[in-house]
């Protein structure tokens, strides 16, 4: 009996010591970095040009998941940011696009739009935003709940959706950049009634104004061998400059009434974001107590630049060489303010991007452009002729077709019949690769391939009745610049690097998915997983025996 009592006391003491050690070992700050439109191969393509203290430091001293993918479509900014932080796909968190057609109110809605709140920091409507359309919690929400709301969450991004969705429903604050003629960081009454003094001070300074200057390459442009020629026919460029070639005088190119907007679409947008994030770390005293804080940080400018100039441009290369310096600056600041080993970082993307199809065609790779307006007219005409009824198609949005159920009911037209006949017709059209119906997506279970990706991105309540998939490298876009949205490798293969507290060094080529990030962070923190999580913790990085 004495021996049993001794062992019990020893066990309790050991458990308490373990629990105490675990609490002490938790990171004081988690920084989630999402780079908007970052393909995985930017890491490898520009590797030799990076310095030692940015991307290379994260990879060399952290854990690199080389085969990380989005497991759903559409691969857009809103769904991407939501999926990273909720640990699930649009099927569950409900952010099925940057915008979508709401069949209940019969109009398009924006993923972060919220008319019930007011702007803070601007008189414009740019602040009428909140996460109310995101159905599930983020790991930042779960951390707030776990710490009885003592752990802070601050969201920062140029794009409102890149700040709001990651920060979740319980964030202390989310800030985004309102360009136009103001050039200020703003927020919404969802979070606060007035901007904190430190944000007002930042806005009143000349830090943003200082970036209205020429943008030239960081290094000699002749050494940028990892990207295409500076002058070509596949880039958009800026209004006011005849050619899409360096240098760009942003002061002259900025619209008088909209002069700060151009900064978002330049490499300096990342500088502005970094400056503000560092100010937030200091002013909010992130990582300065025993309750873990969360900073959600999204770099939006690479997406604007990719859309404008394309993924193979000198502009993209220069943007990433400069972003490498931003990452180094952030790491140095965290070491000084929070302490080396006291924080955890992950870096990923919200989607990738396709090579400009016109460029692919020029080198004999199949690609093309899809006329969505013509397609919509043909679909409506077919439905009307086949069923002898007008207005059966209510909307075509994000490669989804929404039926008019009121007209169908009055005409006694079966949804299943309309789905089936429309799907068969659409599949015969040029540039269409696959078609899925609501009956298939709601009643079946796809485990691999395009069907699984479509299903993971399909929300039964919000999505349409027929979903179509275009041929590879076929897009709805201008003939200059890149875009994204598909379930193909160029859009789904995104970087994922963990670094810092709770992370061992290493790498893997095992397939991982974007929905695995949130449960992994939750496991590191010892908190509940986000409430709709479908991903799994990345055991190869977390479990010691996996390194043997």
């Amino acid at each position: 009996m004495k021996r049993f009592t001794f062992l019990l006391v020893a066990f309790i003491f050991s458990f308490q010591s373990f629990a105490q050690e675990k609490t002490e070992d938790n990171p004081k700050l988690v920084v989630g970095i999402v780079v908007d439109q970052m393909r995985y191969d930017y890491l490898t393509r520009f590797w030799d040009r990076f310095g030692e203290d940015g991307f290379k430091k994260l990879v060399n001293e952290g854990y690199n998941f080389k085969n990380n993918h989005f497991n759903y479509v559409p691969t857009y900014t809103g769904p991407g940011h939501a999926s990273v932080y909720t640990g699930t796909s649009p099927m569950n968190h409900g952010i099925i696009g940057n915008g979508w057609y709401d069949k209940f109110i019969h109009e398009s809605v924006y993923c972060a739009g919220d008319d019930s709140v007011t702007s803070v920091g601007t008189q414009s409507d740019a602040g009428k935003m909140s996460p109310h359309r995101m159905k599930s919690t983020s790991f930042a929400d779960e951390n707030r709940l776990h710490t009885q709301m003592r752990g802070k969450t601050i969201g920062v991004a140029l794009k409102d959706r890149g700040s709001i969705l990651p920060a979740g429903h319980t964030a202390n604050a989310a800030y985004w950049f309102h360009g136009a003629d103001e050039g200020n960081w703003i927020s919404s009454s969802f979070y606060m009634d007035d901007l904190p003094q430190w944000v007002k001070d930042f806005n009143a300074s000349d830090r943003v104004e200082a970036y209205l200057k020429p943008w030239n390459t960081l290094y000699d442009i002749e050494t940028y061998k990892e990207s295409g020629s500076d002058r070509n026919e596949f880039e958009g460029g800026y209004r006011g400059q005849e050619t899409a070639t360096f240098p760009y005088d942003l002061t002259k190119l900025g619209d008088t009434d909209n002069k700060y907007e151009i900064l978002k679409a330049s490499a300096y947008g990342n500088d502005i974001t970094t400056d503000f994030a560092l100010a937030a770390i200091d002013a909010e005293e992130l990582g300065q107590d025993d309750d873990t804080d969360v900073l959600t940080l999204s770099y939006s400018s690479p997406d604007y630049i990719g859309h404008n100039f394309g993924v193979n441009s000198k502009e993209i290369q220069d943007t990433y060489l400069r972003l490498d310096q931003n990452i180094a600056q952030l790491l140095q600041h965290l070491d000084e303010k929070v302490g080396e080993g006291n924080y955890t970082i992950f870096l990923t993307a919200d989607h990738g991007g396709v090579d400009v199809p016109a460029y692919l065609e020029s080198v004999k790779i199949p690609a093309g452009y899809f006329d969505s307006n013509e397609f919509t007219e043909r679909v409506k005409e077919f439905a009307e002729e086949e069923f002898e009824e007008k207005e059966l198609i209510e909307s075509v949005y994000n490669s989804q077709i929404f039926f008019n159920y009121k007209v169908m009911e009055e005409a006694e037209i079966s949804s299943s019949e309309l789905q089936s006949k429309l799907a068969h017709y659409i599949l015969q059209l040029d540039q269409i690769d696959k078609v899925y119906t609501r009956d298939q997506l709601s009643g079946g279970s796809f485990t691999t391939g395009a069907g699984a990706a479509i299903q993971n991105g399909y929300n039964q309540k919000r999505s349409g009745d027929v979903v179509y998939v275009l041929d590879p490298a076929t897009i709805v876009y201008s003939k200059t610049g890149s875009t994204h949205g598909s379930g193909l490798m160029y859009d789904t293969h995104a970087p994922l690097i963990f670094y810092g507290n709770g992370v061992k060094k290493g790498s893997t080529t095992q397939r991982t998915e974007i929905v695995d990030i949130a449960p992994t962070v939750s496991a590191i923190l010892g908190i509940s997983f986000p409430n709709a999580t479908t991903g799994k913790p990345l055991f190869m990085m977390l479990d010691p025996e996996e390194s043997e």
Side-chain angles (χ1 to χ4, degrees), residues 304-317:
Y304 291 116
I305 296 164
H307 278 295
N308 190 353
F309 296 96
V311 303
N312 195 44
S313 62
K314 299 290 189 203
E315 288 78 6
I316 276 291
Q317 177 164 359

Side-chain angles (χ1 to χ4, degrees), residues 450-516:
I454 294 286
Q455 198 164 48
N456 286 334
Y458 189 86
N459 184 276
Q460 290 189 13
K461 195 165 186 176
R462 292 180 174 177
S463 296
D465 300 287
V466 175
V467 182
Y468 58 93
V469 180
L470 301 180
D471 286 338
T474 300
I475 62 175
V476 179
Y477 203 63
S478 66
K479 293 197 174 182
T480 58
S482 298
T483 193
H484 49 86
S486 79
L488 295 162
M489 286 292 172
Y490 48 76
D491 282 336
T492 70
H493 192 190
L496 176 57
I497 311 163
F498 275 83
Y499 170 91
N501 187 302
V503 178
K504 68 184 182 185
K505 297 179 185 178
S507 65
T508 184
T509 55
Q510 294 183 61
R511 179 183 169 96
T512 58
E513 295 180 341
I514 214 74
V515 295
D516 299 333

